[in-house]
Amino acid sequence: MTPLPPAQRLLSILSDQPAGEDQLNFDPYARTLAGIVADPGTDTPLTIGVFGGWGQGKTSLMRMVQRQLDDTAGTDFPVQTV
């Protein structure tokens, strides 16, 4: 994916739209959450809360987790997201 020019990147960070790429350095958190959810050893039911103020990246984080879980298709323990 081609990086955005600095001015456009700033505008996308300041907008209220979920980020299409990790602009908030949430990748470690998304990988951890997806790993917990996709681990066959995780007991269920499982509830995860994501809290934050307006525009702090909750939807962006959850979409990153969803992409991580979508990558489990075709594995021994695929996770289907809704």
Side-chain angles (χ1 to χ4, degrees):
M1 178 174 272
T2 305
L4 297 173
Q8 191 174 1
R9 184 168 190 271
L10 178 62
L11 287 176
S12 68
I13 290 172
L14 297 176
S15 77
D16 187 36
Q17 299 302 312
E21 57 186 66
D22 186 12
Q23 298 175 347
L24 299 170
N25 297 318
F26 281 173
D27 184 63
Y29 306 107
R31 288 184 184 277
T32 299
L33 287 171
I36 292 168
V37 171
D39 186 339
T42 299
D43 290 329
T44 58
L46 174 69
T47 302
I48 297 173
V50 178
F51 301 92
W54 174 84
Q56 291 187 326
K58 298 176 298 293
T59 301
S60 297
L61 173 64
M62 295 311 296
R63 287 188 178 174
M64 291 175 67
V65 171
Q66 183 175 19
R67 283 193 298 272
Q68 293 282 329
L69 294 174
D70 289 346
D71 289 345
T72 65
T75 66
D76 290 338
F77 193 74
V79 177
Q80 181 178 0
T81 60
V82 190

